[in-house]
Amino acid sequence: MLSAYRLTEKGPEPAIPEGEDGVAASAIWVDALQPSAAEEKAVEGFLGAELPTREETQEIEFSSRFYVEDGAVYMTASLLTGIDVGKPALAPLTIVVAGERLVTLRYDDLRALRQFLARAGKPGSGCLTTPAIFLGLIEAIVDRTADVLERISADVDRINQEVFAEQTSRPRHGGRGLETVIGAIGRQGDLAAKCRESLASLERLAQFASLALPPAFGKGANKNRLKLAQRDIRSLEDHVDFLSNKITFLLDATLGLISVGQNEVIRVLTVAATIFFPPTLIGTIYGMNFVDMPELGWILGYPFALLLMALSAILPYLYFKRRGWL
């Protein structure tokens, strides 16, 4: 699907295409979402350069993501998608700049682009030139990533409160409860890792853009906006590193609490076995029923054996209690 936009005094507005798969002559920016073969040909005619294939946009080496060819600058970043539906993933976004024309190529619905379009069409948005549209896209992507990091931070704080709950509420977090917490920690860790990878690709894109884009993109206010975006990206990278360390700490703490709970169960079972071992031994001895056992003919033998078994259980219990083992 192709969405073409022309520049007006208010900002980018949809441009009516000339044909079924064509691009309007007045268009400055074309957003290609999962384009068909005919749409790719139309975009290439608009751009004056070839579009990369989907496989090429998913390459991880720097030379496949950032290059200049036929007078066009190609830049590909990995952006977060699927967060709202609980299936976070990284999707490539390719930005191609050829003179005053701009093309965005993507294969997933990216919320950052929708947020940018909602803002760019409003008066005072400042998106009146191709460089302004490009910089607005970068800023929208950075803002969206910051929102995701804020969401991760809130979820990590909630998990932190669950893990380090007061002792009175500890039973509800034992056993299966802590296993559920581990699953939540793992999901946040995976999302933080994807954020880190996305920010790394954005930082490389901003650095390459400052060097390879036409001079109009790096002059005056545009240059300052690009530098500010780079600083924002680096600050977000520092924040995601902090969150990753906190997530690792929570995972270690949760595993430690599970180990403490298991050790508590083993300790109780060990103490119980130790307490009941002497009575069991005494009962076993007097259960042999040998003829020459002197207590068999004693009228107080049975009460004596019961008293002996009770004392042999109570004395170890009192000893363990005094030592603080119970």
Side-chain angles (χ1 to χ4, degrees), residues 43-65:
V43 174
E44 289 174 351
F46 162 80
L47 193 63
E50 293 186 356
L51 287 178
T53 63
R54 185 168 188 172
E55 291 73 20
E56 289 174 341
T57 62
Q58 294 174 338
E59 297 287 345
I60 61 174
E61 59 267 24
F62 187 89
S63 59
S64 296
R65 285 179 166 251

Side-chain angles (χ1 to χ4, degrees), residues 37-326:
E39 290 173 338
E40 286 183 359
K41 185 175 296 185
V43 174
E44 289 174 351
F46 162 80
L47 193 63
E50 293 186 356
L51 287 178
T53 63
R54 185 168 188 172
E55 291 73 20
E56 289 174 341
T57 62
Q58 294 174 338
E59 297 287 345
I60 61 174
E61 59 267 24
F62 187 89
S63 59
S64 296
R65 285 179 166 251
F66 306 98
Y67 59 94
V68 179
E69 187 176 272
D70 297 331
V73 181
Y74 295 78
M75 298 165 285
T76 302
S78 298
L79 304 187
L80 290 165
T81 184
I83 297 175
D84 296 331
V85 296
K87 296 180 180 179
L90 290 174
L93 170 67
T94 300
I95 301 176
V96 187
V97 178
E100 292 295 323
R101 294 188 170 184
L102 177 71
V103 169
T104 52
L105 174 63
R106 56 196 174 101
Y107 297 92
D108 290 274
D109 182 26
L110 302 176
R111 185 170 179 178
L113 265 71
R114 287 189 275 117
Q115 291 177 338
F116 169 72
L117 285 172
R119 291 187 312 209
K122 296 180 180 179
S125 64
C127 296
L128 305 177
T129 62
T130 303
I133 293 177
F134 171 77
L135 293 170
L137 279 171
I138 301 301
E139 291 167 351
I141 294 170
V142 173
D143 289 343
R144 173 57 179 165
T145 307
D147 293 340
V148 174
L149 288 178
E150 291 174 0
R151 178 175 174 177
I152 295 175
S153 181
D155 289 340
V156 169
D157 288 340
R158 175 183 54 80
I159 295 172
N160 182 81
Q161 294 176 359
E162 292 183 7
V163 172
F164 298 104
E166 295 295 336
Q167 189 64 32
T168 55
S169 61
R170 178 63 63 199
R172 68 186 181 93
H173 297 301
R176 302 295 297 181
L178 286 177
E179 293 180 5
T180 303
V181 171
I182 288 179
I185 293 173
R187 288 190 292 272
Q188 298 306 319
D190 177 66
L191 186 54
K194 286 181 170 59
C195 282
R196 183 69 179 84
E197 185 176 349
S198 177
L199 287 170
S201 67
L202 278 175
E203 184 178 17
R204 290 194 293 267
L205 186 149
Q207 291 173 348
F208 185 79
S210 63
L211 298 175
L213 287 179
F217 288 77
K219 287 184 178 181
N222 293 336
K223 181 178 181 180
N224 295 332
R225 288 178 65 183
L226 188 57
K227 286 185 176 180
L228 181 59
Q230 290 177 305
R231 285 197 294 268
D232 289 342
I233 292 171
R234 283 192 290 268
S235 66
L236 291 179
E237 287 177 331
D238 294 337
H239 186 61
V240 78
D241 288 339
F242 165 76
L243 288 176
S244 298
N245 293 333
K246 190 172 183 178
I247 290 171
T248 301
F249 166 73
L250 286 176
L251 179 60
D252 293 339
T254 305
L255 293 175
L257 289 175
I258 292 177
S259 298
V260 169
Q262 293 175 342
N263 292 338
E264 180 68 17
V265 173
I266 298 300
R267 184 178 67 86
V268 171
L269 293 176
T270 302
V271 171
T274 304
I275 290 175
F276 289 104
F277 175 74
T280 303
L281 178 61
I282 294 173
T284 302
I285 292 174
Y286 285 105
M288 292 187 292
N289 295 325
F290 287 120
V291 176
D292 294 333
M293 293 182 67
E295 289 83 7
L296 290 178
W298 184 27
I299 191 171
L300 298 178
Y302 178 67
F304 174 77
L306 292 179
L307 178 62
L308 191 61
M309 285 188 287
L311 289 175
S312 65
I314 293 174
L315 291 177
Y317 172 79
L318 295 176
Y319 176 77
F320 293 151
K321 192 76 172 177
R322 183 177 180 182
R323 295 295 300 270
W325 297 350
L326 291 176

